[in-house]
């Protein structure tokens, strides 16, 4: 299947598909400076945990190309400072920090003293992260495809599709492969307030692929589950702790709780780069809070009274005991997660 190219390195800078304009406009823009790349991450022009990992790695390459430190020591020092700065732009998705860490390690390990060659090492690592993500998505798709029931009704939250990755997505990857192999089913997509990733992005990419999709308000999802309208839930994740607690788009916890209450399987699809073995449990996952304006209106339309106080966490934490399994490129990890996560991913 053809997937949109979310992030790519070009001679002019980082080319991104501007997701804030979807579904009305499919427009690409080029980030030529670190500030433009950071703005693109912060404003969700590029979003989804794996995609911002790739974007972060390219942002580091972009910044170091422009900054042009005079020698190896200055290069490594600038890389370390920039890594911290870029990772802070969106703190919940561990893929951002993971990709930056990987790029930092690659340059530290390299014996190169020539700055251009050192920069080439960095860029190669960023490109490897992008290419590997395509493989990881495919692996998740293969592992999860057998779970998709013929004629089934599958609920998802937010967008963990091709738009959130460099490949065919995480939560949507099993669905794309199942569809390609002739299974027929329907996806229910939560609209995902406040920024409507479900309505704008998931509904758009599924329709582009010809997969039937029904859009529903976030508040309707537990009712759909309770009335027997869902056979399977699959979401993505932004960070999964060592015990299987995980963070994902705000609203995920309610969906997981409703699924458990009504005996509907709830799976989380994520690559190994989304597991944070340094986080013992969900409480150690930082939750990004975003501006109140995202809740008091949408784009230019105000929907709440002036001056109202707002709480706008971008993500929530779902406890591991609500998860039926983690669909990864290494297979499906089952409870007890402390053990299965360690066995599959603990080796480094
Ligand atoms: O704020 P966003 O749009 O970046 O949030 C995205 C999600 O919560 C996704 O479910 C998650 O990043 C997994 S994407 C494969």
């Amino acid at each position: 299947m053809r997937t949109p190219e979310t992030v790519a390195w070009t001679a002019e800078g980082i080319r991104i598909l501007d997701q804030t304009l979807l579904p009305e406009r499919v427009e690409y823009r080029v980030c030529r400076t670190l500030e433009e790349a950071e703005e693109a991450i912060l404003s969700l022009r590029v979003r989804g945990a794996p995609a911002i990992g790739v974007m972060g790695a390219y942002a580091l390459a972009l910044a170091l190309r422009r900054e042009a430190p005079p020698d190896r020591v200055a290069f490594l020092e600038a890389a370390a400072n920039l890594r911290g700065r870029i990772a802070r732009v969106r703190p919940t998705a561990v893929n951002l920090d993971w990709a930056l860490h990987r790029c930092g390690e690659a340059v530290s390990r390299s014996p190169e003293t020539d700055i251009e060659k050192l920069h080439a090492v960095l860029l190669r690592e960023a490109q490897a992260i992008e290419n590997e993500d395509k493989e990881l998505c495919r692996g998740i798709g293969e592992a999860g495809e057998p779970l998709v029931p013929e004629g089934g009704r599958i609920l998802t939250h937010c967008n963990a599709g091709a738009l959130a990755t460099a490949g065919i997505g995480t939560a949507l990857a099993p669905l794309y492969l199942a569809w390609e192999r002739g299974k027929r089913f329907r996806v229910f997509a939560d609209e995902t307030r406040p920024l409507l990733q479900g309505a704008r992005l998931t509904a758009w990419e599924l329709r582009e692929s010809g997969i039937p999709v029904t859009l529903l308000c976030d508040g309707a999802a537990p009712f759909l589950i309770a009335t027997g309208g869902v056979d399977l839930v699959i979401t993505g994740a932004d960070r999964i702790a060592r015990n299987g607690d995980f963070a994902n788009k705000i609203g995920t916890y309610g969906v997981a709780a409703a699924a458990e209450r009504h005996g509907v399987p709830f799976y989380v699809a994520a690559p190994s780069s989304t597991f944070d073995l340094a986080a013992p449990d969900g409480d150690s996952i930082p939750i990004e809070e975003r501006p109140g304006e995202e809740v008091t209106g949408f784009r230019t339309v105000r929907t709440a009274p002036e001056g109202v106080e707002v709480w706008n966490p971008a993500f929530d934490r779902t406890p591991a005991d609500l998860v039926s399994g983690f669909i990864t490129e290494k297979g499906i990890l089952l409870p007890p997660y402390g053990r299965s996560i360690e066995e599959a991913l603990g080796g480094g």
Side-chain angles (χ1 to χ4, degrees):
M1 64 168 285
R2 276 186 53 238
T3 52
E5 193 168 52
T6 49
V7 186
W9 179 265
T10 70
E12 297 90 65
I14 312 166
R15 184 173 184 266
I16 60 161
L17 172 60
D18 186 348
Q19 298 190 27
T20 62
L21 304 176
L22 286 169
E24 292 94 336
R25 302 207 315 265
V26 180
E27 255 179 53
Y28 291 83
R29 63 156 70 191
V30 176
C31 301
R32 293 184 168 78
T33 63
L34 172 62
E35 288 71 23
E36 284 175 7
E38 287 177 322
E39 190 278 334
I41 297 171
L42 186 63
S43 63
L44 275 59
R45 297 184 199 286
V46 174
R47 31 80 37 215
I52 64 173
V54 175
M55 182 71 183
Y58 283 145
L60 183 63
L62 187 67
L64 283 163
R65 187 177 70 179
R66 281 177 67 95
E67 210 165 287
D71 56 38
R72 182 185 157 84
V73 172
F75 189 96
L76 294 185
E77 198 181 295
N81 292 335
L82 286 162
R83 272 173 51 191
R85 172 177 160 170
I86 298 166
R88 279 190 292 277
V89 177
R90 294 203 76 193
T92 300
V94 73
N95 302 63
L96 181 56
D97 196 41
W98 168 86
L100 289 160
H101 180 78
R102 226 180 106 164
C103 290
E105 292 289 295
V107 286
S108 309
R109 253 195 337 263
S110 160
E112 289 297 350
T113 48
D114 179 280
I115 295 309
E116 272 189 24
K117 288 188 180 150
L118 210 48
H119 189 268
V121 169
L122 172 58
L123 190 55
R124 266 202 305 279
E125 193 67 18
Q127 280 162 335
I129 290 170
E130 181 191 340
N131 291 331
E132 284 168 27
D133 190 55
K134 297 184 204 302
E135 297 302 312
L136 296 177
C137 290
R138 193 97 207 157
I140 291 168
E142 292 292 350
E145 189 274 331
L147 295 173
V148 181
E150 170 61 38
R153 297 148 308 166
I154 300 106
L155 177 71
T156 191
H157 188 72
C158 193
N159 174 265
L163 289 166
T165 66
I168 60 170
T170 60
L172 299 193
L175 306 181
Y176 284 131
L177 291 194
W179 188 263
E180 214 170 66
R181 293 170 189 174
K183 282 189 196 167
R184 291 299 172 255
F185 50 84
R186 174 167 291 272
V187 180
F188 287 83
D190 290 350
E191 67 171 348
T192 318
R193 273 287 284 155
L195 296 179
L196 299 176
Q197 288 92 329
R200 295 187 304 103
L201 309 177
T202 300
W204 179 78
E205 64 167 273
L206 288 171
R207 277 177 64 89
E208 289 286 300
S209 307
I211 299 179
V213 56
T214 301
L215 182 65
L216 61 156
C217 301
D218 298 334
F223 186 49
L224 182 69
I225 292 169
T227 50
V230 178
D231 303 301
L232 169 70
V233 182
I234 311 183
T235 72
D238 285 83
R239 187 185 298 236
I240 303 163
R242 210 166 61 216
N243 72 342
D245 294 350
F246 73 99
N248 191 48
K249 179 54 56 193
I250 190 73
T252 302
Y253 175 44
V255 175
E260 135 96 337
R261 173 84 166 80
H262 297 282
V264 173
F266 179 95
Y267 283 88
V268 176
S272 48
S273 50
T274 301
F275 286 77
D276 180 3
L277 299 194
D281 54 33
D283 290 343
S284 41
I285 301 178
I287 298 294
E288 173 189 3
E289 290 204 22
R290 296 188 54 91
E293 295 78 67
E294 291 181 352
V295 180
T296 54
F298 184 70
R299 290 188 178 149
T300 55
V301 179
R302 198 176 170 91
T303 53
E306 289 288 347
V308 70
E309 279 184 32
V310 175
W311 181 48
N312 185 19
F315 302 97
D316 59 22
R317 303 183 185 104
T318 298
D321 61 3
L322 299 184
V323 181
S324 307
F326 289 98
I327 309 170
T328 77
E329 80 279 6
K330 295 179 191 282
I332 299 179
L333 311 186
L334 297 171
Y337 295 119
R339 198 167 68 206
S340 58
I341 291 174
E342 174 62 27
E343 277 173 10
L345 308 165

